[in-house]
Amino acid sequence: MTTTVETAVSPLAVPLAGERRSGHGALAFLVARRVLAGVLVLWAAITATFLAIQLAPGDTVSLLLGENRDDPVLRAQTIERWGLNQPLWVQYLTYLRRIPSGDLGISYTLRQPVAHLIAINAGPTFTLAAVAAAGAIVIAILGALIVTSPVHWLRPLVSGYELIMVSAPSFWLAIVLLWLFSFELGWFSIVKQGSWQALVLPAASLALPIGAYLSQLLVSGIDRAMEQPFIITTRARGSSLLAARIQHALRHAALPALHMLGLIVGSLLGGAVIVEQVFGRVGLGQLLVDAVKVKDMPLILGVTLVTTAVFVAASTVVDILGTLIDPRTKGNLR
Amino acid sequence: MTQTIREVVVAQDQGRPEVLLSVRGLDVRFGGRRDVHAVRGLDLDISAGQCVAIVGESGSGKSVTARTLVGLAGPGAVVSAKRFQIGDVDARRLSERAWRKIRGRSIGLVLQDAQNSLDPLRPVRREVGEVLIRHQLVPRRQLARTVDQALSDVGFPDPQVRGGQYPHQLSGGLRQRALIAAALAGGPKLIVADEPTTALDVTIQAQILELLRSKCEAGTALLLISHDLAVVSSIADRVLVMKDGVVVESGTTTQVLEDPQHDYTTRLLRAIPSASTRGHRLSADAAPEAEATPVARDHGLPVARDRGSVVLCAQAVHKSFELPGHRRLVAVDGVSVSVKAGQKLGVVGESGSGKSTLARILLGLQAPDTGAVQVLGTDWGTAGREHRHEIRRAVQFVSQDPLGSFDPRYTVEEVISEPLRSVSSAQLRAERVREVLALTRLSPDLLAALPRKLSGGQRQRVSIARALALRPSVLICDEPVSALDVSIQAQILDLLDDLNHRTGTSLVFISHDLSVVHHLVDDVVVMEAGRVVESGPVTQVFADPQHAYTRRLIAAAPKPAHDLRAA
Amino acid sequence: MTAVSIPSGGLFAAHLPRWIRGIRPTLVLSLLVLAVAASAAIAPGLWTHTDPLHADPLAARQPPSLAHLAGTDIQGRDVLTRIVYGARFSLLIGLGATLVALGLGAILGIVAGVGPRWADQLVTRLVDVVAAFPEVLLALLMIALSGRGAINLALALGVAGLPKYARTIRATVQQTRCAGYVEQATTFGASRWQRLVRHVLPNALGPLPVMVTIGFGGAIISSSGLSFLGLGPQPPAAEWGLMLAESRNYLRQTWWTGVFPGVALTAVVMAATVLGRHLQERYERRLP
Amino acid sequence: SSNGGAAGAQAAGSASPVQGGTLYWGVETALPTVNPHLNGQDKATPILRNVFDSYLYRQESGEYAPWLASSYDVSSDGTTVTLTLRSAVTFSDGQPFNADAVIANFTKLTSKGYLSSIPSGLQFLTSFAKLADDKVQFTLSKPDTLFLLYLSTPASTPLSPASLTKAQTVLESGGPEVAGIGPFVITAFTPKSELDLARRPDYAWAPQALAGGEKAAYLDKVIYRTFVEGSTRTGALQQDQVQVASDIQPLDVASFSKGSGFAYEREYVGGLPYSLYLNVSKAPFDDVRVRKAFIKGFDLAPIIQSIYAGAFDQAKAPISTKGPFADPSSLSGYAVDIDAANKLLDEAGWTQRNADGLRSKDGKVLTVRAVSSSDFVRESRDQLNIAIAAALKQNVGIDYQFQIVDSGTESVRAKANDYEIFDNSYGGADPGVGLDLLYSSDPTRGFIARGKYHNPDLDALLDKGRFTNDLAARKETYKDLQKLVTDNFYVLPLYQTQDNLASVSRVGGITIDPAPGQPFGASRVWLAQ
Ligand SMILES: Nc1ncnc2c1ncn2[C@@H]1O[C@H](COP(=O)(O)OP(=O)(O)OP(=O)(O)O)[C@@H](O)[C@H]1O
Ligand SMILES: Nc1ncnc2c1ncn2[C@@H]1O[C@H](COP(=O)(O)OP(=O)(O)OP(=O)(O)O)[C@@H](O)[C@H]1O
Ligand SMILES: [Mg+2]
Ligand SMILES: [Mg+2]
């Protein structure tokens, strides 16, 4: 168990040179440091994305003009309108300078402020991610408890199911769920965006594989913890096996699973793209894919900013939660 | 509370001590791949206020017995008994539910491994409270108070505050206390304590034994499991000696320790090092014949110096570490020692007194902040890189954890020959490996084995063999025997003594076990908080300790109540 | 006599020789699946004699039959043949992505693990940045940069997978660097470099086979997802992810064009996962 | 013109239209903006039609009928167009529709930086002026027939003057704040995902030519939902989650056949069919023999049948058979002749064969590459081209590669002339727009003439077809043009583009706008129960 804890490397650990503080001050200080490190990561991500888009083939003006009437006058107008006449570094710095005020520019293709576009697309994606994460946790814990339970015939069944879940392509699962539960059984209509019916299946298609994966992590964690002497100790005090599993072992298994969940949630966007496409949901994933296809730079940068920020936030939250689960990892939270 | 529990608890009547546990013909087997018959036909009776000890070497089935008594023999265990009575209850027919009522309430278990027997993710007070909650012994409101009481009963300081600490924030002694508090909190009539003092420092060990003894006197029965006969002799009423799952001898402590009947018991007793064993062999191994020593050939390796000349010396070395929060911890504080060729120097002191740090400095693994270390007249600090690698070979190291010091991918042969990379000829290397194998009395059959498949004693021998390969002038041993049980420890101590005699290699022997040091070394250095508080010939220092700290150490060492060498 | 619990294995197993009892059917099955997939990738001619690109419009969309065991697709190509040839693409993408991730991750991890503090800091930060990019975004950007195709897909997945390896290797290197045997080697006069090469790296990289096996399955899954988004190999390539993506809209009419490649892909991933877990168990058991 | 017709009405039986209800309409098209001036998607027209009426209504014959303009007048030289505006028309925000509003719109349309591309129709507009409160005059530099066409598309539709002064981002993205004249108003818009419309009760200006005329819509609400996945649209329709679904995939069509409880209809769209334009500016297609061999070297019919299962038809001419201009006889020289094709290639010097059976010359394989931007790969075009490639390889040893790239790469490759084939379909009610774009060598007109034909005869025919409003003359011209491009083997028409949709049986009144061949919005649609 200890090894797992030690190798659960926190993704954003910044070494703390100053003295160790205590109580709320310490937490605030840590959060502040994390925010600082997060800003650094955001900046690097933005810069890398900016460069990548610049290096990608195809010039922005042609893309803005579309494939129809390209003439020098229009071209000049377009260049001027979108500020493409400025040197790249000026464009870059201008973009960076505007971020703090929430101005992320205007999408080339959708013609709306990127901040607004993100605002209307982020909600559904975040709801999806949150419900999926919650579902995954429930699935994982249930699965893990069933697999580690003494009911032996259940174990191969559930682990087999989990193995299939983590081994099948995710869009496959989405399509199967959609067909079975929406189109054959008609249980969940997917057309009314924002309704709970439309959320169930997309969330399930994300939650099932993640839940299965986390469950596998939990199971190996629980198995390892159940071999520890303190389990015999607690049973020697009269705890039942189930109590030992839930009150002691599960918690030990939770830390690596939590870290994994943090990573997964932080990058749920990837899964969301597919789910959004299959279910025709509005969301950041689809927004991003379309933006990259047409080199809509302000939009790409905007979405990158949001997703990396979510990632940074998720890993910070996970680390703080981690110290609640395992006080020994407080040292890691730097 | 159900019927079962009441029967057990109510069964105490006044007068003659009731029998709390009665076992006849207990058998425990582990099925599976290799069939292990861990306990065979064990008989055991314990009555209130009595202390029964089980002794025996590692793997003899002591812990399995302890776990079986609370119905936790382990997965795959097949338990059978002719009689297995806990109080009035026939434990052979207990369901898992019924067992749960007994555990913690009728029998408290203190597991062998105190480091890992407390859940590291919970404050200790919750662990202590757990037994109270499980058996609904106190109402929720009073839980905190009862837990604090239980903790202070075992001498846990400031339970309200420190009870909220997590195991990793507590010292080994406090952890062991918390564990005992948890075992006692449910008010069991019987405590099974499996090696409650191993891994602890002498002073703490003494306190824990005192605690257990007082519990016993207060009427709680104690089943004490230990491999330390000195501990057993000071506390137990009866002793059972186990070997390979069989009780080979049992009786009152006096009977068994002073007049052992079984050969094995005799050997066990003889293996215990002490002041009186100086110069004697501890193990049953015969002393090696003189001609068994191969003629050492020159493999291009340095040869040990003449006896008497100083081979290793530290002058006023000082080492401190930075702790979080700009604090500094002085680990070694102005220590001077010198080792002459052929000398056996002991270093003793409590945990954290800086023994290991000193060893690392002597080895040149860590540079002292101030002070200097000279090896064969060369200063670690001023020697050039090349020269440093040269003189490193003169000082070799044997660690407490031999397995950790072997590359897990290496076979025994690779491990031993690793230092010999500088010897160009493969043939000479192989020859030297055979030589050191012979010196350490290891069979050449082991060469192809992986170290983790070896027994503890064999591993330590391999570690010593490797250290000898370079024909060092000094062997620094950091707690080389503290992880071994008595009989193996005896073999290793004998081996080190032999080597010192035959090869003239000096020894620096670090240990917290005074009796071991007393047995083995010529001179001793006593360390406290990084400082040398006393030094001199071992007999003189132990017979007439000058410093208060030394006296405290000696007082804390377990004193056998019986003359263990009587046999 | 009370049997507290029954020895595992049962009566039946007890009569079999030990080495047979030790064999786990799932593991054997997994190895078999991987062997078949590998042989298809190396020598597809062993399994089929048709051309995976040979289209026959007149024989399009035929259900499984003796002539076409897995039916034909919308172009009239033999699905089984395409699955066989697809093994090469899919396995290579999976392997390529894993090796890229591993290679980059190992270099970064080792630099961070053994290098000076500032190098560790730099690498850690760099890895954080890479990790902060969702896999899809990274793949999209890289593909926008360098174009679609199997190699770019493997590269993109490799870069996206690098943080995992870099972090683990950094942690294990730092752990091994402090191991007793490394320090012990110092006392034999081994230099820093010798210690690194002889002890630290071989031991720190010990868990790699496990990571590679498990990562391999994950990479195949991810690649199929990106293929779904049109970022993978381009048609008419025979690649499982692409075959799935192409068939997804015809599933109700020609289920065989999607189900068989899906089964092949899932089976290989499952096999890799099972093998990986087995290796992991063995590795963990070996640890002291 | 084709099968289909008023199937919707049939499915709903003889029941009479029902007022009210909410209809979900699943479409493939993702709308980036709903500003009709800026949205250039063909497929957006049927959606935008709900909210934006035009000045003129184009009939299937190619003639124009009144709509928001009660009449129009073209001067004899064709360079002056005068619109008389219908009276008592209001924008949905209550502003009056009058000459000032039209002038405001055209001022905006011709202003700097508003449009990202100049529509063909505006190319020769030199000035416009208000003649009276209900009269506007436009002056053209040439008698451009495409100007009238422009006045009949959503691209020129009037927006309320107040909307035009809204903030740039608001105006350009369209949505609830941008008012037009139409049977519905926009109540919510999520780019690329959803467009919510509500009925405009006071609407009364539908074109006379369309059945029903001037009435307001039946439905209270219409919600267009984008489902990119074809199977999702089909599934959602089958469960009645959406009541109408457009762009039914070929293989799904069978599930909506007669008796399935669903109505299915399809209609050819106008413009130019999906075709391959061969790049004649460089080897190997600079050699007419290679072009001819490419075109005659495989049999398209079975391929179309296997990919589309009868749901799409092979193209019959270089111009869509929708509308009056197609000339099927122009393709007579395209009959399959594999032997002839092989001979032509031998003659052209592509005699060597490599291990794969591909032809080569001087060690260079006979490779032709189509470079297609992924945005335009729909309707199984990749499958179609792959099947063609397989056939060409098997039959004549041509290595045809259909390369799908992102739009940036596509533009780079186009600029570098690094392709041999350009694939395209161009919709719309009149083929003139597409012909100009795809064939003209005039740099201000032939922006996507990726065949790089530079043929003066062709250019002359293009001018002749465009600068007249005489339908009969245009028909003749386009006949010659079709002959010219097929005689030269410039283009290979593959399939006739179409719009299709399926609906549940409760839906009635689906109306096809015959000229473009697309649904005329949802204004006549009703929902039983
Ligand atoms: N769960 C188990 N499965 C199989 N064998 C076991 C199990 N538990 C213990 N054993 C075996 O039973 C024997 C007795 O072990 P036990 O732990 O009781 O020894 P011990 O006397 O306590 O030794 P030590 O002094 O090292 O603690 C050993 O050979 C051990 O390997
Ligand atoms: N690298 C280090 N950084 C910080 N503190 C250290 C370090 N190494 C040792 N110490 C501290 O120095 C003190 C002396 O440690 P050392 O290991 O020498 O004690 P010891 O006498 O060997 O104890 P034990 O008997 O427990 O092995 C301890 O308090 C220890 O915590
Ligand atoms: Mg034990
Ligand atoms: Mg030490």
Side-chain angles (χ1 to χ4, degrees), chain B residues 321 329 331 350-357 479:
Chain B
F321 294 105
L329 179 125
E350 274 179 315
S351 183
S353 55
K355 307 183 295 290
S356 298
T357 309
E479 313 258 17

Side-chain angles (χ1 to χ4, degrees), chain A residues 191, chain D residues 24-26 225 227 233 236-237 240-245 504:
Chain A
V191 295
Chain D
Y24 279 87
W25 191 317
R225 278 280 273 119
F227 295 107
R233 288 194 300 279
L237 179 68
D240 203 356
Q241 294 178 16
V242 297
Q243 287 72 48
V244 185
V504 299

Side-chain angles (χ1 to χ4, degrees), chain A residues 151-173:
Chain A
V151 189
H152 286 294
W153 59 269
L154 270 174
R155 185 166 185 146
L157 270 174
V158 177
S159 359
Y161 141 82
E162 286 173 351
L163 191 57
I164 291 177
M165 278 298 144
V166 299
S167 303
S170 45
F171 63 89
W172 222 229
L173 181 65

Side-chain angles (χ1 to χ4, degrees), chain A residues 229-268:
Chain A
F230 59 79
I231 293 296
I232 299 184
T233 318
T234 182
R235 293 192 64 199
R237 294 182 197 125
S239 303
S240 67
L241 254 182
L242 186 68
R245 210 174 284 127
I246 294 179
Q247 292 177 7
H248 293 269
L250 185 59
R251 196 158 168 199
H252 285 260
L255 195 68
L258 179 75
H259 272 282
M260 191 45 73
L261 181 70
L263 290 181
I264 293 174
V265 167
S267 55
L268 251 188

